[in-house]
């Protein structure tokens, strides 16, 4: 399937690669049912290749999983092949089907129907709230630079929390003029900051509760907090069993080494692929352990003495932590075990 915002294009091929049919369906619940009924009219449907399973194809992926169909995530077609054959939705849908059949596409799609999807949404809202609050915190200072001298002197020397509290308590005046506008702007900005802070606190609480419900063992690991845990869980998805080994999880997080050898030079470079949010979470965990864990600091000094650079040692540490995290992800939580039994 080639997925779009309003329409999904689908193509059906046989196990031998013969194209049977192709059609487009609306991206609605009724459209998903029509699509599956149409596909099954050509035979038994066992596997589906879907583009953009994390965005436009997310709802379709959930519907197919609910119907017992194995969904494989498909990247965009090869650019060279696209130049040769052109581009249409029908061509892209058939290319997705052939990618699954040939084995070029092998990644099992995330189910996005459990607590990890909740974490992703909470983290999305928290990120935008933090960005808006940071912008709002910087704006009162620029307003005060050009404000009336009496107002500026009354608020001078205050820390951010006290400045926000004082500005939020400013009284609205009926007078007109730049001085009144400055007071009103400061009052609005301060109250916006307070509201965004309440949102962030609420989201932090919900994130922590969702993490504890999903994988409580991760929070017990040294240096792993709710935000880092959420990023790692989002990378793994609601079905971490799709990651067949700890090496696949390390590659997903961009911590697996990449060969960069040539001639007499034998070396490995850093992996700049993978989920960068998960990679950043592992980096924060490494920094925390370098500060508080004696074993991690001793490892750093030993590898530096062997000729490794600090960047290379941190990459090794992230790789070890990815192995530890994968082991915890592979261990079902007591809540999940009780539900399964």
């Amino acid at each position: 399937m080639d997925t779009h915002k309003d329409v999904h294009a689908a193509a059906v091929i046989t196990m031998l690669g013969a194209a049977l049919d192709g059609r487009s369906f609306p991206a609605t619940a009724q459209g998903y049912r029509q699509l599956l009924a149409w596909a099954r009219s050509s035979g038994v449907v066992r596997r589906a290749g879907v583009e953009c399973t994390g965005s436009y194809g997310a709802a379709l992926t959930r519907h197919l999983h609910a119907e017992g169909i194995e969904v494989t995530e498909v990247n965009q077609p090869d650019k060279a092949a696209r130049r040769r054959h052109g581009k249409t939705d029908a061509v892209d849908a058939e290319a997705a089907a052939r990618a699954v059949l040939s084995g070029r596409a092998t990644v099992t799609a995330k189910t996005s129907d459990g607590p990890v999807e909740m974490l992703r949404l909470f983290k999305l809202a928290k990120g935008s709230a933090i960005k808006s609050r940071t912008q709002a915190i910087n704006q009162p200072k620029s307003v005060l630079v050009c404000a009336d001298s009496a107002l500026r002197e009354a608020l001078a020397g205050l820390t951010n929390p006290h400045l926000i509290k004082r500005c939020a308590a400013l009284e609205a005046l009926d007078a007109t003029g730049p001085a009144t506008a400055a007071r009103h702007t400061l009052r609005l900005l301060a109250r916006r900051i307070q509201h965004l802070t309440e949102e962030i606190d609420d989201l932090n609480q919900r994130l922590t509760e969702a993490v504890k419900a999903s994988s409580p063992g991760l929070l017990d690991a040294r240096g792993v907090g709710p935000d880092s845990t959420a990023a790692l869980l989002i990378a793994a998805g609601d079905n971490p069993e799709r990651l067949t080994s700890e090496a696949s999880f390390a590659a997903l997080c961009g911590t697996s080494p990449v060969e960069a050898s040539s001639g007499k030079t034998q070396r490995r470079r850093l992996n700049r692929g993978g989920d960068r949010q998960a990679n950043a979470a592992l980096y924060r965990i490494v920094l925390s352990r370098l500060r508080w864990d004696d074993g991690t600091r001793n490892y750093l000094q030993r590898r530096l003495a062997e000729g490794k650079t600090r960047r290379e040692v941190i990459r090794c540490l992230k790789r070890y932590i990815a192995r530890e995290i994968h082991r915890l992800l592979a261990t079902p939580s007591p809540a999940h075990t009780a539900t399964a039994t």
Side-chain angles (χ1 to χ4, degrees):
M1 271 75 81
D2 180 30
T3 60
H4 297 276
K5 181 180 179 180
D6 299 317
V7 176
H8 296 338
V12 177
I13 63 174
T14 66
M15 294 298 295
L16 297 178
L20 297 179
D21 197 3
R23 281 184 59 184
S24 294
F25 298 87
T28 61
Q30 180 65 23
Y32 300 152
R33 290 191 290 269
Q34 292 173 355
L35 186 155
L36 191 54
W38 164 80
R40 284 174 169 166
S41 67
S42 300
V44 179
V45 180
R46 293 189 177 90
R47 292 188 296 168
V50 181
E51 287 189 14
C52 305
T53 58
S55 54
Y56 291 138
L60 175 61
T61 300
R62 286 193 291 268
H63 180 78
L64 294 175
H65 275 136
E67 293 293 332
I69 297 175
E70 178 185 347
V71 181
T72 301
E73 184 174 352
V74 180
N75 293 327
Q76 291 182 348
D78 180 73
K79 291 184 178 180
R82 176 172 285 182
R83 283 194 294 269
R84 288 194 301 269
H85 302 292
K87 182 198 180 310
T88 64
D89 292 345
V91 170
D92 288 348
E94 185 175 339
R98 296 192 182 281
V100 176
L101 182 63
S102 65
R104 182 175 65 83
T106 59
V107 178
T108 302
K110 297 178 181 178
T111 56
S112 301
D113 58 356
V116 174
E117 180 65 10
M118 295 168 49
L119 284 172
R120 187 186 70 82
L121 296 173
F122 290 153
K123 196 163 175 45
L124 177 70
K126 180 184 173 182
S128 62
I130 290 176
K131 183 177 180 180
S132 299
R133 186 179 65 172
T134 301
Q135 184 182 28
I137 288 174
N138 292 332
Q139 286 176 334
K141 300 175 183 178
S142 62
V143 172
L144 284 173
V145 169
C146 303
D148 181 72
S149 58
L151 178 62
R152 187 172 66 249
E153 292 170 6
L155 300 175
L158 297 177
T159 60
N160 280 340
H162 289 92
L163 176 63
I164 293 168
K165 188 178 295 185
R166 288 281 298 276
C167 289
L170 290 174
E171 296 181 0
L173 301 178
D174 295 332
T176 59
T180 304
R183 292 175 63 91
H184 186 67
T185 301
L186 290 172
R187 181 168 173 263
L188 290 178
L189 288 172
R191 295 189 175 187
R192 181 186 303 173
I193 293 168
Q194 291 177 340
H195 176 69
L196 288 171
T197 301
E198 292 176 359
E199 279 190 16
I200 294 170
D201 291 341
D202 175 68
L203 289 167
N204 280 331
Q205 181 180 355
R206 293 178 183 272
L207 272 171
T208 303
E209 291 173 353
V211 166
K212 289 180 178 179
S214 177
S215 297
L218 284 177
L219 292 177
D220 296 332
R222 185 183 295 273
V224 182
D227 280 321
S228 297
T229 303
L232 294 169
L233 287 172
I234 291 169
D238 279 304
N239 48 336
E241 63 276 4
R242 71 194 184 93
L243 304 171
T244 56
S245 66
E246 52 89 14
S248 63
F249 180 68
L252 176 65
C253 297
T255 60
S256 57
V258 179
E259 291 289 348
S261 302
S262 177
K264 297 181 179 180
T265 302
Q266 302 295 320
R267 62 180 293 269
R268 293 175 175 177
R269 67 168 176 82
L270 299 176
N271 186 348
R272 290 177 172 78
D275 189 313
R276 304 317 298 174
Q277 294 296 323
N279 190 281
L282 292 174
Y283 182 72
R284 291 193 296 268
I285 296 171
V286 168
L287 293 184
S288 176
R289 293 189 179 186
L290 284 175
R291 183 172 184 181
W292 303 107
D293 185 53
D294 292 334
T296 306
R297 288 198 295 266
N298 294 337
Y299 176 84
L300 172 68
Q301 297 303 322
R302 177 167 60 84
R303 296 308 297 270
L304 290 175
E306 293 174 358
K308 295 283 188 182
T309 65
R310 182 180 176 87
R311 178 177 293 181
E312 290 173 335
V313 177
I314 288 179
R315 201 278 306 162
C316 294
L317 286 169
K318 288 194 290 187
R319 178 66 177 83
Y320 292 141
I321 294 172
R323 179 179 300 143
E324 177 185 345
I325 296 297
H326 179 266
R327 187 166 57 249
L328 294 171
L329 288 174
T331 304
S333 66
H336 290 172
T337 304
T339 303
T341 56

